[in-house]
Amino acid sequence: MEMMVGLSLLVLTLIIFSGFSLKAPKGQEAMSGLAGAAVATFLVEAIHKYILGDFVGIGILEEVGSTSGGMGGVAAAVLVALNMKANPIYAVAAAAAVAGYGILPGFIAGYVIGLLSPILESKLPKGLDMILGVLLIAPIARIAALAADPIVNSTLLSIGNMIAIAAEQSPYLMGFLLGGIMKVMCTSPLSSMALTAMLGLQGLAMGIASIACVGGSFTNGILFKRLKLGDSSNVVAVMLEPLTQAHIITANALPVYASNFLGGGLAGLAAAYFKIINNAPGTASPIPGLIAPFGFNSPLNVIGAVIFAIVGGIIGGLVGSTLYKLSRKILVTSNA
């Protein structure tokens, strides 16, 4: 029941997330800012605090990681507002005002300021627009974060917690389903980094999401190579960051997304088997997903999970491309 409820709420979140990204004013730009904030804070925390700090013993880097991990709200507010083309001074004023809040309240505050910034600039008297603007922006941002905080805690973070519990109770089934869904998200124009940051996903569920993105990148590489989707540079680019090849992916959506679900699901199974934990939400992407788990697991476990995830990703690419080629051949034959 926990698994069914968790997956149902995840699908509902995806629908709302998709609607916001595609339909809300500057929704895609705002989500891109949220993803960047997650990498700038949570990934830095995972590597510097847990690997180079706790494990290696470099005190200054542990301090850097701890500090960065607590700045998610500030980073989200400034990057979201800047991505929405807000006045940089307004963006920084908003970010400073939400210090102490998490990444999601910061995201909401940044989005509000991103919408208000051009209005204030056009309405305030020239010469005083900078001073009056920051004096207005700061309390508005703080109030937005204050209002959003309890809503975020009772909805999105609760959904993320439910998914995490379901992953612990049914690790292999959730490994396949969650891994497949997250890799499709990682490859689509929507952002798996932003989604996992929104949900505050941690533990095994986040481990599955991050490893799925790593293994699934090989699905994309095999698929692009075998179906001749672009040249060698496109193959490398789609493996490192799928969003750079959105135009090719959109034109070949069925084979790409179907193959990614299979490859991501198999990679998620590898993460579940090796019990990969990742407490750095927002690192569901090929490169961050490869690095962050080393901060929370035995290196041998991570290496084992990555190797089997790559194998799973390759299988997904081979199966998906083969089935697509066969279906195309059958279609051509039947038309002839």
Side-chain angles (χ1 to χ4, degrees), residues 249-315:
I249 292 170
T250 304
N252 300 274
L254 180 59
V256 171
Y257 292 143
S259 301
N260 270 268
F261 185 83
L262 177 59
L266 294 175
L269 285 176
Y273 177 80
F274 285 94
K275 298 180 174 60
I276 300 301
I277 302 301
N278 183 357
N279 291 328
T283 53
S285 185
I287 296 175
L290 175 63
I291 298 172
F294 283 98
F296 309 97
N297 305 272
S298 160
L300 290 178
N301 277 5
V302 178
I303 293 170
V306 168
I307 290 172
F308 280 95
I310 291 172
V311 172
I314 291 172
I315 291 172

Side-chain angles (χ1 to χ4, degrees), residues 90 93-98 101 109 112-113 116 120 131-147:
Y90 291 177
V98 301
Y101 281 99
V112 170
I113 298 311
L116 287 179
L120 288 176
I131 296 173
L132 294 177
V134 296
L135 292 177
L136 288 171
I137 286 291
I140 290 173
R142 188 75 180 184
I143 291 169
L146 176 66

Side-chain angles (χ1 to χ4, degrees), residues 15 58 60 66-67 89 106 140 158 165 176 197 201 231 243 313 322:
I15 293 171
I58 305 176
I60 184 65
S66 297
T67 304
I89 304 299
I140 290 173
S158 295
I165 292 172
F176 183 79
L201 211 59
D231 55 24
L243 294 182
T322 300

Side-chain angles (χ1 to χ4, degrees), residues 21-192:
S21 297
L22 301 175
K23 300 298 182 181
K26 298 185 178 179
Q28 192 68 57
E29 291 86 345
M31 286 298 178
S32 178
L34 176 62
V39 172
T41 56
F42 296 142
L43 182 63
V44 171
E45 179 186 35
I47 302 305
H48 286 316
K49 180 182 179 187
Y50 295 105
I51 298 179
L52 299 176
D54 291 348
F55 184 70
V56 178
I58 305 176
I60 184 65
L61 294 183
E62 181 180 5
E63 184 180 342
V64 168
S66 297
T67 304
S68 297
M71 296 292 285
V74 173
V78 70
L79 286 178
V80 168
L82 287 176
N83 269 25
M84 295 173 68
K85 307 304 181 186
N87 184 307
I89 304 299
Y90 291 177
V92 173
V98 301
Y101 281 99
I103 192 168
L104 291 181
F107 163 73
I108 292 170
Y111 184 71
V112 170
I113 298 311
L115 295 177
L116 287 179
S117 177
I119 298 173
L120 288 176
E121 285 192 287
S122 65
K123 299 296 184 182
L124 292 175
K126 297 299 180 184
L128 294 176
D129 54 338
M130 191 65 65
I131 296 173
L132 294 177
V134 296
L135 292 177
L136 288 171
I137 286 291
I140 290 173
R142 188 75 180 184
I143 291 169
L146 176 66
D149 195 48
I151 299 172
V152 165
N153 290 333
S154 63
T155 54
L156 291 173
L157 296 184
S158 295
I159 293 172
N161 186 54
M162 192 168 294
I163 294 169
I165 292 172
E168 295 288 346
Q169 292 180 344
S170 304
Y172 293 111
L173 189 54
M174 282 294 286
F176 183 79
L177 295 176
L178 182 60
I181 290 171
M182 284 300 175
K183 185 53 198 175
V184 171
M185 283 289 297
C186 184
T187 304
S188 73
L190 304 175
S191 172
S192 54

